Amino acid sequence: MNDTKHHITDVVIIGSGAAGLSLALSLANYCKVSVISKGALTEGSTMYAQGGIAAVFDKQNDSIESHVEDTLQAGAGLCDREAVHYTATNAKQCLKWLIEQGVPFDMEFDEKGKERFHLTREGGHSHRRILHAADATGKAVQSTLISRVQAHPDITLLEFYNAIDLIIDKQAQEPVVKGLYVYNRKKEQVESISAKFVALATGGASKVYLYTSNPDVSSGDGIAMAWRAGCKVANMEFNQFHPTSLYHPELQNFLITEAMRGEGAHLKRPDGSRFMPDFDERAELAPRDIVARAIDFEMKRLGANCVYLDISHKDKDFIIEHFPTIYAKCLSVGLDITKEAIPVVPAAHYTCGGVMTDFSGKTDISNLYAIGEVAYTGLHGANRMASNSLLECIVFAHAAAKDILSKIEQHPEPSGVPAWDESRVTDSDEEIVITHNWHELRLFMWDYVGIVRSTKRLERALRRVELLKQEIHEYYANFRVSNNLLELRNLVQVAELIIRSALERKESRGLHYTLDYPELSDNPMPTILKPKSN
Ligand SMILES: Cc1cc2nc3c(=O)[nH]c(=O)nc-3n(C[C@H](O)[C@H](O)[C@H](O)COP(=O)(O)OP(=O)(O)OC[C@H]3O[C@@H](n4cnc5c(N)ncnc54)[C@H](O)[C@@H]3O)c2cc1C
């Protein structure tokens, strides 16, 4: 019990995506930083981001006010105007910082032959303001930032370390974070880290749903850890679903771009009939949330596992030229999209809610920060506008760095933390319990707490989550931890927060749609949940 390996650092950052690595690079010239990542350093949603990052670069035609107004419009009346303004105002300088780090955004020549950034436009934006690196912006950001942190002498990278729980001193005048316990996945042992400051940059929680566009690491760990530690969380009912991800056992989490519908693909039922014209006069070109709801409705009505996206009526060369990646990927699993329809389902894509922070990324607990998708800053409101999320990662990473650096000099050296106690646990003999509960949780979240909700479905899900929570808690108390068990424990916690938030919202707004309250309320407020200990 006392041979726990112990690390000491100034700032420990949990997560190696855009948020975590930006924070690390902004701090490391001034203090010692450790970044821990649950899987490989590359693995997180950042790596898979396609479109780009929003910022006003075209001063002639665009303005910060316009970026603010578009974001507020997308957020359906629930954004915090100040947070939106803060983000949009800081966007350009954050993008310049990324450019200085070496991110290769696409360039073009203007009419006078001068080089400038190529800006694209995406849903919700009234101007061209998206910087991008072809259609793999996230990969460009992730690999650039990784090469920078790897080259920095004062950044320690702990790969395959899974953060278990924060260590909080609750005896202090106000609760203060002292460090955390981590599970070293390679050595299969628990270690501890003490630090002056801790930052959660653990990404979103979309893995709580059966179908998701996110990588496996998106299990809401940071939200669950912060909640257990005593932080408030907000707006957990707002999950963004992408309408069309491939439904295929050999190729999961693969998005089929909305551009395919833009180029004339039809959505069809298993019997081959089209259904979008029955739901909206814009048919397949209706907005993302309407298409996702229609697919969900048809799947539930027919008891179907998926619907089909069909572009095979178009010319073969046209399809291959416009969608080379999708064509190749689908062909790799034996699906020729020039001849047959693509099986698709909607997929959980983005967690708009999270750990409540101020504009410096500070949470309710002293010295604990939350940045990136794990956080609720008020930026996204009831619906996230495309390309604002990577932006939020950088803007709030920089803000958190500034705040930490303003305090670090006066902060005493990190103190010791209690050793991890394994004296009462044994090795699990029934791993099947974890596998089963994992699947059950993600399935009922999909069926009852997905795109279309009702009070009855939510209450049904809550009863199941309570049972699972109890079972997982007993398991956690009696058996040695494993990666799957830690993730399941967090997923079930996040599921409960989503359900409780959804039950509190007595209206349909943005990404939250319930059959029992289909109208908008007159006075919308964020849903804020407080842990009992607060
Ligand atoms: C397919 C796809 C396309 C997207 N396209 C865009 C786009 O074009 N533009 C845009 O702005 N946004 C886009 N997004 C959203 C955006 O990519 C994410 O919101 C953003 O990358 C989140 O960054 P992050 O740093 O907060 O978290 P992530 O990049 O998800 O990183 C989380 C990190 O935390 C680590 N971690 C998690 N739990 C633990 C734990 N317990 N212990 C240790 N480490 C842990 C993970 O290992 C990982 O390193 C897209 C998302 C997806 C999935």
Side-chain angles (χ1 to χ4, degrees), residues 239-264:
N239 301 95
Q240 192 171 63
F241 289 84
H242 192 286
T244 52
S245 103
L246 180 67
Y247 178 71
H248 195 282
E250 286 165 47
L251 196 54
Q252 284 162 6
N253 306 348
F254 183 64
L255 284 190
I256 309 292
T257 169
E258 288 169 85
M260 194 172 272
R261 281 182 279 122
E263 294 298 342

Side-chain angles (χ1 to χ4, degrees), residues 10 74 115 151 180 192 226 250 270 274 311 354-355 380 394 422 429 431 434 455 457 472 497 515 522:
D10 289 328
E115 223 184 359
L180 65 148
S192 59
E250 286 165 47
R274 273 180 80 190
I311 195 158
V355 183
H380 305 302
I394 321 291
E422 272 198 339
D429 54 354
E431 279 290 316
I434 298 178
T455 304
R457 287 180 195 165
I472 294 163
L497 295 172
L515 298 169
D522 294 336

Side-chain angles (χ1 to χ4, degrees), residues 377-417:
T377 62
L379 171 67
H380 305 302
N383 198 353
R384 169 193 74 125
M385 187 165 70
S387 291
N388 265 350
S389 37
L390 281 169
L391 177 62
E392 187 186 39
C393 290
I394 321 291
V395 168
F396 287 89
H398 285 191
K402 197 167 160 204
D403 196 70
I404 290 172
L405 291 176
S406 72
K407 296 176 186 159
I408 202 152
E409 284 288 308
Q410 302 91 51
H411 200 286
E413 287 307 306
S415 51
V417 293

Side-chain angles (χ1 to χ4, degrees), residues 168-178 366:
I168 309 292
D169 180 357
K170 291 197 170 161
Q171 308 307 321
Q173 253 184 346
E174 50 184 39
V176 54
V177 68
K178 296 293 196 187
S366 289

Side-chain angles (χ1 to χ4, degrees), residues 17-19 22 45-58 62 67 71 87-88 90-99 101 103-106 117-122 125 127-142 144-145 379-380 384-396:
S22 300
S45 288
T46 301
M47 186 67 177
Y48 301 93
Q50 296 166 349
I53 314 180
V56 174
F57 271 65
D58 174 8
D62 196 4
H67 189 180
T71 305
T87 311
N90 284 289
K92 190 171 181 184
Q93 96 192 39
C94 286
L95 267 288
K96 282 185 169 170
W97 178 83
L98 275 181
I99 294 158
Q101 302 307 307
V103 178
F105 290 112
D106 282 12
F117 289 103
H118 180 258
L119 304 173
T120 62
R121 192 172 158 183
E122 285 188 339
H125 292 270
H127 295 282
R128 286 185 167 266
R129 64 167 76 100
I130 319 293
L131 274 83
H132 64 105
D135 62 352
T137 308
K139 193 173 173 193
V141 170
Q142 185 75 27
T144 305
L145 296 182
L379 171 67
H380 305 302
R384 169 193 74 125
M385 187 165 70
S387 291
N388 265 350
S389 37
L390 281 169
L391 177 62
E392 187 186 39
C393 290
I394 321 291
V395 168
F396 287 89

Side-chain angles (χ1 to χ4, degrees), residues 21-35 97 101 144-157:
L21 298 184
S22 300
L23 177 60
L25 288 166
S26 308
L27 290 170
N29 290 342
Y30 311 95
C31 58
K32 292 217 173 300
V33 178
S34 294
V35 178
W97 178 83
Q101 302 307 307
T144 305
L145 296 182
I146 285 184
S147 64
R148 301 286 296 183
V149 291
Q150 280 173 334
H152 203 293
D154 285 317
I155 300 180
T156 304
L157 300 168

Side-chain angles (χ1 to χ4, degrees), residues 14-20 36-41 43-53 122 142 161-164 201-204 213-215 217-218 221-222 225 255 349-350 371-374 384 386-391 393 490:
I14 313 172
S16 62
I36 74 168
S37 113
K38 186 160 69 170
L41 275 185
E43 202 51 10
S45 288
T46 301
M47 186 67 177
Y48 301 93
Q50 296 166 349
I53 314 180
E122 285 188 339
Q142 185 75 27
Y161 275 71
N162 189 344
I164 303 175
T202 46
S213 65
N214 284 203
V217 292
S218 306
D221 300 1
M225 277 189 277
L255 284 190
H349 191 50
Y350 186 82
I371 49 169
E373 196 172 330
V374 65
R384 169 193 74 125
S387 291
N388 265 350
S389 37
L390 281 169
L391 177 62
C393 290
N490 292 327

Side-chain angles (χ1 to χ4, degrees), residues 285-390:
L285 298 180
R288 203 182 250 199
D289 52 332
I290 293 181
V291 177
R293 271 206 293 279
I295 296 175
D296 183 77
F297 182 86
E298 285 299 306
M299 282 174 60
K300 287 211 170 82
R301 187 176 72 81
L302 299 168
N305 289 331
C306 63
V307 293
Y308 293 85
L309 185 66
D310 194 357
I311 195 158
S312 63
H313 52 280
K314 292 269 175 183
D315 181 62
K316 182 174 177 178
D317 293 339
F318 173 89
I319 298 172
I320 298 175
E321 187 193 337
H322 279 75
F323 306 106
T325 314
I326 297 176
Y327 173 70
K329 274 267 185 195
C330 288
L331 206 56
S332 75
V333 292
L335 194 73
D336 184 348
I337 67 168
T338 65
K339 295 193 183 133
E340 54 195 317
I342 310 169
V344 291
V345 285
H349 191 50
Y350 186 82
T351 309
C352 290
V355 183
M356 282 191 87
T357 73
D358 65 8
F359 294 167
S360 299
K362 280 187 291 187
T363 68
D364 293 328
I365 291 179
S366 289
N367 302 344
L368 178 67
Y369 294 74
I371 49 169
E373 196 172 330
V374 65
Y376 165 83
T377 62
L379 171 67
H380 305 302
N383 198 353
R384 169 193 74 125
M385 187 165 70
S387 291
N388 265 350
S389 37
L390 281 169

